[in-house]
């Protein structure tokens, strides 16, 4: 008689323990869902990059811009894909996809803005992407390419404060112009068709470009060809209340 009672008590205790664990997991999931819902309510703009496919990935990255308007769950990604020109007249792609990967390669976040004022940035980025002047042209080196596209938008939206790595080959291509702001939209840049130049700003630091290979130093670390960056990008998610005109 004692053994069946003991067995019953043990089973009841086990069932009770499992029930408590289940309740705890459910509570955690609910809390996570609440947190996710709270985050989804704010608009987001991100600048990402990942190593390109094949041997090209040794030297360079592909960059893109991802946005998520307020109360949306999906990201819209703006990027240039060169091979699209084989069957269409534009290399610019605007589509919904996961923002943190590129054909299986894990992305690295270079810049992010959230919250107040970001909806206006999203609208500007969408308009700029559709006005990209090199949409029907793609040249792997020295540009215009996918990194030229992201830098072109970043120059027009300096609030992003995007500090692209040395491996974003093509970011220094500014067409027939020789003087511009640095790829972040701050400071200045002198560039000869993306092959030779120098750039300096509070975001990009100081960079020297020789045949598309970048050497430099910034608050995010040391910039080197192939390596990209030794250090971590400085990312401030909040927009500055007032963007200074000086670098």
């Amino acid at each position: 008689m004692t053994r069946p009672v003991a067995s019953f008590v043990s089973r009841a205790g086990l069932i009770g323990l499992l029930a408590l664990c289940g309740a705890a997991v459910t509570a955690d999931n609910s809390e996570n869902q609440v947190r996710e819902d709270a985050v989804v309510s704010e608009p987001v703009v991100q600048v990402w990059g990942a190593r390109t496919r094949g041997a090209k990935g040794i030297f360079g990255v592909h960059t893109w811009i991802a946005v998520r308007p307020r109360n949306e769950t999906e990201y819209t990604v703006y990027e240039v894909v060169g091979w699209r020109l084989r069957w269409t007249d534009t290399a610019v792609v605007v589509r919904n996809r996961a923002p943190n990967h590129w054909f299986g390669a894990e992305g690295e976040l270079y810049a992010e803005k959230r919250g107040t004022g970001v909806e206006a940035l999203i609208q500007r980025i969408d308009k700029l992407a559709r006005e990209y002047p090199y949409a029907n042209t793609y040249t792997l080196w020295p540009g215009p390419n996918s990194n030229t596209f992201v830098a072109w938008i970043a120059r027009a939206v300096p609030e992003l404060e995007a500090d692209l790595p040395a491996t974003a080959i093509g970011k220094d291509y500014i067409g027939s112009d020789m003087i511009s702001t640095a790829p972040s939209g701050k400071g200045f840049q002198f560039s000869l068709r993306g092959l030779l130049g120098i750039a300096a700003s509070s975001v990009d630091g100081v960079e020297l470009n020789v045949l598309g290979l970048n050497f430099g130093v910034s608050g995010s670390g040391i910039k080197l060809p192939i390596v990209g960056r030794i250090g971590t990008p400085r990312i401030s998610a909040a927009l500055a209340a007032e963007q200074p005109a000086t670098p």
Side-chain angles (χ1 to χ4, degrees):
M1 182 70 180
T2 303
R3 184 174 297 174
V5 171
S7 177
F8 172 78
V9 171
S10 297
R11 290 179 182 177
L14 178 59
I15 292 171
L17 180 60
L18 291 174
L20 288 173
C21 290
V25 170
T26 302
D28 286 344
N29 287 339
S30 297
E31 290 174 3
N32 288 337
Q33 187 62 53
V34 169
R35 286 194 293 266
E36 288 173 3
D37 289 344
V39 171
V40 165
S41 69
E42 65 179 359
V44 182
V45 175
Q46 297 173 329
V47 180
W48 291 86
R51 290 285 175 172
T52 55
R53 302 175 68 186
K56 295 182 296 182
I58 298 174
F59 298 96
V61 297
H62 166 81
T63 56
W64 62 92
I65 297 174
V67 307
R68 191 188 66 202
R70 186 181 303 277
N71 295 325
E72 295 291 333
T73 57
E74 286 190 309
Y75 280 83
T76 298
V77 170
Y78 298 85
E79 60 192 331
V80 157
V81 180
W83 64 73
R84 278 177 52 88
L85 291 176
R86 298 173 185 170
W87 62 82
T88 185
D89 61 353
T90 179
V92 176
V93 181
V94 181
R95 58 183 170 179
N96 294 123
R97 72 167 178 85
N100 57 341
H101 287 87
W102 166 252
F103 283 95
E106 185 174 353
E108 180 182 359
L109 186 63
Y110 302 141
E112 180 180 58
K113 296 298 176 185
R114 292 175 174 268
T116 304
V118 172
E119 286 283 1
L121 296 190
I122 292 175
Q123 294 174 9
R124 286 164 59 190
I125 289 167
D126 183 78
K127 184 175 184 293
L128 287 163
R130 301 174 196 281
E131 296 173 349
Y132 179 57
Y134 310 115
N136 60 356
T137 305
Y138 185 91
T139 304
L140 182 63
W141 174 87
N145 55 30
S146 63
N147 301 317
T148 309
F149 170 74
V150 169
W152 188 80
I153 291 180
R155 285 187 179 92
V157 190
E159 296 94 331
L160 291 175
E161 300 178 295
D163 184 10
L164 300 178
T167 42
I169 297 171
K171 67 184 177 67
D172 298 316
Y173 182 88
I174 54 177
S176 59
D177 295 334
M178 291 190 291
I179 303 295
S180 179
T181 56
S184 68
K186 304 291 184 72
F188 79 95
Q189 180 172 39
F190 169 79
S191 180
L192 294 175
R193 295 281 182 175
L195 291 170
L196 182 67
I198 187 170
S201 84
S202 58
V203 175
D204 308 80
V206 179
E207 296 182 0
L208 175 66
N209 170 28
V210 180
L211 299 179
L213 301 177
N214 266 219
F215 304 82
V217 61
S218 73
S220 297
I222 300 172
K223 301 179 180 181
L224 296 170
I226 300 178
V227 174
R229 181 180 1 238
I230 301 175
T232 304
R234 294 184 303 172
I235 299 174
S236 174
L239 279 173
E242 181 178 349
Q243 292 297 319
T246 56

